[in-house]
Amino acid sequence: MRIAIAGGGPGGLYLAALMKQLDPAHEITVWERNAPDDTFGFGVVFSDETLGSIEGADTVIHDEMARRFARWTDIDIDVNGHSFTVGGQGFAAMSRKDLLRLLQQRVADLGVTVHYETDAPDADELRATHDLVVAADGVNSRIRTKYADTFAPALDHRANKYIWLGTDLVFEAFQFFVKQTEWGTMQIHGYPYSADGSTFIVEMHEDVWRRAGFDATEGETLPPGTSDSHAVEKIKEIFAAELAGHDVLTNNSKWLNFTTVRNQHWHDRNVVLLGDAAHTAHFSIGSGTKLAMEDALALAACLHEHPTLAAALQAYETERKPVVESTQRAAQASLEWFENIGMYAGQDPAQFCFNLLTRSRRITFENLKERDSEFAHRIESAFAATAGSTQSVPAMFQPVDIGPLRLKNRIIVSPMDMYSATDGVADDFHLVHLGSKALGGAGLVMTEMVCVSPEARITLGCTGLWNDEQRDAYRRLTDFVHTRSTAKVGVQLGHSGRKGSTRLMWDGMDQPLPEGNWEVIGPSALPYAPGCHVPREATRTDLDQVKADFIAAAERAVAAGFDLVEVHAAHGYLLSSFLSPIANKRTDEYGGDLSHRLRFPLEVFDAVRAVVPGRIPVTVRISATDWAPDGNTEHDAVEIARAFIEHGAAAIDVSSGQVTGEEKPAYGRSYQTPFADRIRQTVAAGVKVIAVGAISSYDDVNSILLAGRADLCALGRTHLYDPQWTLHAAAEQDYRGAAAAWPIQFQAGSRRPPTARTDKIPPRLALLRQQADENVHLRWTPRNDQAVLRNAQAVPRNAQAIPRNDRAAEA
């Protein structure tokens, strides 16, 4: 093949080296606009997995890299004068300049032609004269831009400001400095890359950046290679204590805004994207160099394995794109966390530390417990203390109060519509459905949305509380829960609004009934989606009737024996649609800005709160974002939550979306938790916040709670999969106690069934050695070009420790 590579960075050079080794007959040409010794940045970090792949593909490059590596396992976090060390992570880094030099030497040795200080020819010319054109030309890729209609790039420019620096202070580990300044929160991401220096990235919100005066050079255009000296001097002053007299190094260092690059397609005929041209991920999660070299490994393998170029490029995209997108989701969570780091200024330092470590959701409490059990125990104990408990047990099993209601644990069975009632009456199905979840150990079991009138139903199968027969049916259910379990049971009251009069979910969700329709109302005469009912704009008389229906239903809920009442103001139903500017276009006092759109939902909430006794908390579920242009955002959600709290809400149940059929949610694990987190940190002092949405493991639950992102977690489909999920989670964590007490009839099954032979004798001395190794942290303390080990408990952070024996030195 004749292969043209635009871009002589690590990704492009590594691909050239791999392809030349796979077939020396390949004619490979690389164009690089910079000189060989020009590079920006300081160090690059690699994972053990990536290094294993590099070793398998090219031992020469791997061995040269390994010879230069700084290695360590610790993360040091300094926050407002409090220092923490967490071990067991595993990092390897090296100088970016050294990496480029060895890659340049490698391709030269292999006979690859590289044109330095030369722009690549026009892409049309290259694709006409070469079998393959590789766009490895960076985040501002000219080739990607030229064929933008095909690749469909999306560039997300973020708000935080950061500057890439170095320092001759050699960190011993990955280092986070988080500093509260007079201008706001600033943070440093740092790590060692050699015996002589460390990468030193300063990041802050743009508002903080401006208040601190870093915008003084904003209007200047600094030539390539020139650094922002004003910024450097100010950073030296602000972080003088952290630098401890060491110098700040520059290399084309100037303020930047991170841009996340995504492409819908990665190849077009004989042109393929690689590295930053295809994707970027925030530096707080991964190295762009690492991702680019992983791309090169995959592309070379696919080209070698498949008989045609088309098949190879499709296989490359199929293999790499999901992996990169997963990394980008984690990176997005991480960069958003750092954009909002000021929210956590008041957190307990230990909790802040755990919050930082788990920000991307890739590291969880169980991960940390395996890597550094002492630190994990410290976090769990601190959470127990804040919960008023003397027992250090899994966070999910700490008791919690929602207003006057005490729950035995922090697990809620989320409301889930079952569409299985007749004339709104809950029957044996609902008794078994919710009763089994109560027996399964959850602290609070919520009904599906219970409709306040026949016209308030979503479907003909929805339950209601508009008559006494329905009240009595629910009384049977609450009596069972209270008699047979230690769970509490809550009711969610709602009105379907413009999403009513539709088919059962399995017959066509949101599709109008073919017959037997009833008139639906909404804040405005706008359908939920094309093909849905066009609602009649609600009149004052309609609103008065809806409010009266909520009052009557709330009174029946109290009589039915419910422990908690939740007002449903989410998911595009009537109250939610009043809140959303997409659905609410009214020109009266109930439309317009958010304060007016809140009026009717608050009137309903006030009416419910007024008739529900004080011993029963009233909560509200909201959609934190509409996931659509011109809709509510997480910032609106803060104000919505604030308003309901001011009106007496005992908890905010934070969901999202389902307000318009045109929504585009960013689904992912625990994807709605950041909304709950924002509300909890911003406005929910003393009021509980419930996280919900794609939370499925006890590890995720504990991680959310320990990080302070929510007070409780609501799980829906997880409980459909396993009605005894909470009890099983207790067994998995070896927890036994009142927070997860098995019904006496089930206690014989309260231990995990054996799944393998149990007569195996463990190697006891190996266990002792493993236990000892868990207490040892590897830190980068260069002396004769190797790291030394220290015992984290016995040696101060900046002290050096002599390895106790040859085994430790070898490790």
Side-chain angles (χ1 to χ4, degrees), residues 486-648:
T486 55
K488 303 298 181 183
V489 58
V491 63
Q492 184 187 72
L493 300 179
H495 189 298
S496 61
R498 64 178 185 167
K499 295 176 75 173
S501 191
T502 60
R503 303 182 188 193
L504 301 178
M505 177 177 67
W506 41 86
D507 290 335
M509 182 178 285
D510 298 322
Q511 295 180 18
L513 285 169
E515 57 186 26
N517 284 295
W518 57 89
E519 184 180 45
V520 299
I521 61 172
S524 302
L526 299 170
Y528 168 71
C532 293
H533 291 297
V534 177
R536 176 173 59 79
E537 182 172 308
T539 65
R540 176 72 259 178
T541 300
D542 294 325
L543 300 184
D544 289 342
Q545 183 59 55
V546 168
K547 186 160 58 174
D549 291 338
F550 267 94
I551 292 171
E555 290 173 334
R556 289 192 178 93
V558 173
F562 285 104
D563 302 299
L564 176 146
V565 175
E566 180 171 272
V567 173
H568 199 351
H571 298 169
Y573 299 121
L574 184 63
L575 301 186
S576 172
S577 59
F578 265 89
L579 292 170
S580 171
I582 293 175
N584 185 348
K585 303 293 184 182
R586 297 175 75 98
T587 57
D588 62 7
E589 68 270 30
Y590 295 109
D593 65 23
L594 180 57
S595 64
H596 287 80
R597 301 197 307 273
L598 270 161
R599 281 184 175 176
F600 182 63
L602 289 175
E603 286 182 10
V604 170
F605 183 88
D606 289 344
V608 170
R609 178 67 275 181
V611 298
V612 173
R615 60 183 170 80
I616 298 175
V618 178
T619 66
V620 62
R621 171 170 276 197
I622 65 171
S623 283
T625 178
D626 291 346
W627 296 115
D630 302 319
N632 282 332
T633 68
E634 65 271 24
H635 303 291
D636 298 304
V638 168
E639 299 309 314
I640 291 169
R642 190 193 310 276
F644 279 107
I645 289 170
E646 290 173 352
H647 284 248

Side-chain angles (χ1 to χ4, degrees), residues 295-328:
D295 285 352
L297 282 161
L299 179 56
C302 290
L303 288 167
H304 185 64
E305 294 165 356
H306 292 271
T308 66
L309 180 65
L313 297 187
Q314 185 57 56
Y316 161 68
E317 183 171 334
T318 300
E319 175 185 335
R320 283 296 293 161
K321 198 173 181 215
V323 175
V324 167
E325 287 174 345
S326 175
T327 300
Q328 287 184 315

Side-chain angles (χ1 to χ4, degrees), residues 8 29 42-43 56 70 158 163 183 205 349 382 463 490 501 529 553 586 597 672 678 690 764:
T29 307
F42 294 89
R158 304 305 300 187
I163 186 168
W183 308 286
H205 194 279
T463 66
S501 191
R586 297 175 75 98
R597 301 197 307 273
Q672 294 176 156
R678 178 180 291 274
I690 302 166
R764 296 163 70 184

Side-chain angles (χ1 to χ4, degrees), residues 56-130:
D58 189 330
T59 56
V60 173
I61 289 178
H62 174 270
D63 292 347
E64 287 298 313
M65 290 173 65
R67 211 162 52 81
R68 295 165 169 81
F69 276 144
R71 290 185 179 273
W72 69 95
T73 63
D74 282 359
I75 297 176
D76 291 342
I77 302 173
D78 284 64
V79 51
N80 299 331
H82 299 271
S83 298
F84 300 87
T85 293
V86 185
Q89 309 303 311
F91 299 98
M94 66 181 295
S95 162
R96 181 176 171 85
K97 285 187 177 182
D98 286 349
L99 176 62
L100 272 176
R101 287 192 194 106
L102 73 89
L103 288 170
Q104 289 165 357
Q105 186 61 52
R106 184 63 171 149
V107 296
D109 292 344
L110 292 168
V112 174
T113 300
V114 184
H115 299 293
Y116 294 105
E117 298 182 89
T118 306
D119 285 329
D122 181 75
D124 287 339
E125 177 186 339
L126 289 176
R127 73 189 310 174
T129 56
H130 291 75

